[in-house]
Structures are given as structure tokens and as C-alpha cells.
Amino acid sequence: MKLPLFNADSKFIVIWEVYIFLITIMATILTPLIIVFKIQDMPLQPFLEALLTVSFLLDIGIQFNTTYAVRQVLITDRKAIARHYLKGWFVIDLLATFPVVPVLAFLGFGKNRGILQYFRLMRMLKLLRARKTLNRTRKLRFINPAIMKLSLLVFWIFIAAHLVSCGWIFIGGNSIIPDLSSPNSHQKQYMVAFYWTITTLTTIGYGDITPRSEMQLVYVTFVMLLGAAIYGIIIGNIANIIASIDIAKSKFREKMENISTFLKYRNIPGKIQTQIREYYDYLWESRRGYEESRLLSDLPKSLKTQVAFILNRDIIEKVPLFKGASRKFIRDVVLNLKPVIYTPGDAVVVYGEIGHEMYFINRGELDVTNQDGSITYATLSSGQYFGEIALLFSAPRTATVRSQNYCDLYVLDKNTFDKILRRYPRFANNVEAIAATRRRELGVNENMNASVETAEEGNGESPLQH
Ligand code: CMP
């Protein structure tokens, strides 16, 4: 029977690997308990054995039919897949799958039942593959990798503690405690062993349960060494993990500290220091401190376009001028929009200056005033734009535009603006109509002509199609 070829990243394989991982953990927890408490006749045991054997056997079949990737190239050739698996995990998987105990019993080795039990521990070999499965969790976007790492560290420490506890019971470590001898006290025995393990692993070691036999002495020495190693791993990892839970935040904090030190060193007045700090707070709140344009600069063009689309989606939706525009038009505009932030009271555009760009408002309010600020012509807000008159007429700025609060704007430079006007006449007509109204309100000479010729049809595409 030929199984279909599975994609290593498919949902089915992910779920399957998680299932294998879970039953391996179950075997890791139950098998040592069955051995140390000698509960071979547990009614569930044959079922457990059968479940593990069948699942692990199926897993081998699936592994022979699962693609793998080499540098993002998917290998689908069955022979190559088989070779890859045979050279890799096959032997481990086979050892973990083989039902050693029933087979040996069948072959007549059933008398040594006690010794046969230890072969069951071979199921735990499958744990070696757990790393591969757990690595996949890194791809789960909804889990913070640092939190995942911390949880896994705790999880593995508990598994190690479980195995050490079982080992301690196995070598009779608990014999020092008098009332544990009754056969029904498994639970209490385990609790005492686990307590001993944790006190030893954490290097607390109360000394209330101490080794008696030579074997126990060797075991304790080994566990103490293991404890020291685990302790080191925990201390070393925790600080790292906590710092990396929010890399962006700690990087940003570091940057803030550098800036603060510099400002103090150069005696920058307190008021300006506060303003700078507030600006960075805003930068953190509005975009987690990232400068978008710099972040995207390394990406190939196709990816950059896709990301720019997503990042600038809110502005595209907000500006009525863009509503219903063709995708091509949006792409031409969006790729050329650069985000900028202005702090409260900043003059974004100053009356009489030469203008090289226009602005779209994403967030915040801005006042359009005359030169000395005594007359406010309008207050612009999210979705509106300004600075187009200077570009359209190659004339000085007709007003001052000042931010009332923190403003998230997108800048469009004159070159792109001119290109877009030429290519998309309907857009040009709309911008010109609004500019004419604004100029009328300002009382600017109406005879001034727009400097950009918009008669050209470009590729015939209308930006405002519905
Ligand atoms: P520009 O002249 O380049 O710079 C100042 C900008 O203020 C101007 O372009 C317009 O975009 C904007 N503006 C001028 N008058 C008004 C108005 N009455 N209402 C809204 N915006 C205006």
C-alpha cells in the first residue's frame, strides 16, 4: 500500500507530530512508574503497549512519506526522502517502536519478566525527536518565543525530576522513611521521592532524606551534579529569556537611555528633554518604536509592496481621494508615501516657503493659519491632506499648517505627485478642484495656473473607479 506524500508543514503532519510527542510524554511518565512500583499487571498496560506500538509504527510509515526541505526547497522524491529518513531518525524510531517485551516473552524469555520490563524504557528514545516537534512551536505566531522557551525549560526540568524521583524509589532511597513500606503507599512514596529530588536538584538539600547504600551514594552524587548543572542552566537562561520576552521594548529602552545620557551630558534644557521623551513615548505607542521605512529597506520589491500596502492600508481607507481608486493607482501612491511624526505645535508647512511635498493626515489635527497665526482658515484632521497648492502651482506656501497634537502624517514628494497627476487625470481634477476652493477661501489670485499638465491620459486608468 502506498501512502500519499505528506507535506512536512501541513496541518496533518503538525497534529500528528504533536500526538506522537504527547504519547511519548505519557510513556515517559508511566513506564518508570510501572517499573519502580512493579505494577506489571495494570489492566491498562496492554492497551498502552498496543497504542504506542501501533502509533509509532504508523509514524515510521508517515516519516517515509513526508517531504522535507533543504534551504526552503521541498524535496518530494520518494527515494531521497527514504534515504534522508534512514540516515536520520529511522534507527531511533525503530528501537522505540519495537515491542521488545511481548516479543522476548514470546521467544521464551518470559521467565525474566522483571528484567524485560526495563526494555519498555526504550519508548523514551522517541523523546530525542521531541526537539524537532517543539521547534515547530517557534513558528506559531501567537506564542511569544521567549515565553515558550521558559515554559519548555520548566517542562523539561519537571520531566527530569520525575525520572530522578523514579530512580530514587527504584534504588530504595525512601527506605529511611519508616511508614512508606505498605504496598499501597505509592502515591506517598512518589511524593517523598519527588520532594527529595527537588530539594537536591535545587541544591537546597535539607538532609532529612540521606543515602544509605553505596548505590544510593553514587546516585545522590550524580543527582547533585545534575542539580548544579540545572541550577546553572536556570540562572543563565532566565535572565536572558526575560530580557528577550520583549526584545523590541528592551532595545527601545536602551536607545532611550542612550539619548537621555547624551541630552544630560550636553546640557539640553529640561523642557526639550521632556519633549524628546514624550516624542519617543508616542513613537513607541504608535509604532512600537520602529522606523518603518528603514525596516523595509532590506526587503525585495515584491515583498516591500505587499508590506507597504498593509502598513499604509489605514491611510488608503481614510483619504476620500483614494477611495475606490484602482489597485495600480494605490500602489503608485502607497509605495511612495513616507511616514513622519510631528509633535504638538510644529509648523509642518510655513507660509511663503517653497514647497517640495504634500501631506496626508493619518492621525492628529492641524490648523491652517495665516503668516502670524492670527487667522485660522481651517482645521484639518485624519483623512485630509494639505501642501498640494505649492506643488500644483509651483508657488510659495499659501498658509502655515501647524500641528495641534501629535500628528502621524504621510509625505508625498513633488516628483511622485507630478507623475501621479500626469498619469491619473481624474485624481488631478479632484485635487485641483479642492485646491481652487482653498485658494478662493484664502483670496489668492485665481488667474494663477496649475503648473502640471494633466491632459495626458496616461494608461487610461482612472484612479477613482468604483
Ligand atoms: P500649500 O499652499 O502648499 O501650503 C499650505 C497649505 O494649506 C495649502 O497648500 C493647502 O493645502 C492648505 N490650505 C490652504 N488653505 C486652506 C483652507 N482654506 N482649507 C484647508 N486647507 C487649506
Side-chain angles (χ1 to χ4, degrees), residues 349 368 377-378 380 386-390 397-399 401 438 441-442:
V349 154
V368 182
Y377 303 114
L380 304 175
F386 60 90
E388 79 292 3
I389 297 178
R397 297 287 192 196
T398 53
V401 182
R438 287 177 171 178
E441 280 168 20
L442 292 167

Side-chain angles (χ1 to χ4, degrees), residues 390-436:
L391 304 192
L392 272 176
F393 299 95
S394 292
R397 297 287 192 196
T398 53
T400 292
V401 182
R402 203 177 281 283
S403 55
Q404 281 184 5
N405 35 36
Y406 275 99
C407 290
D408 263 337
L409 309 179
Y410 284 90
V411 188
L412 188 69
D413 67 277
K414 182 169 165 49
N415 272 345
T416 320
F417 178 74
D418 287 347
K419 252 187 253 161
I420 290 169
L421 282 194
R422 276 198 298 269
R423 216 177 275 174
Y424 303 100
R426 271 184 72 181
F427 173 72
N429 290 342
N430 278 303
V431 174
E432 276 171 12
I434 292 172

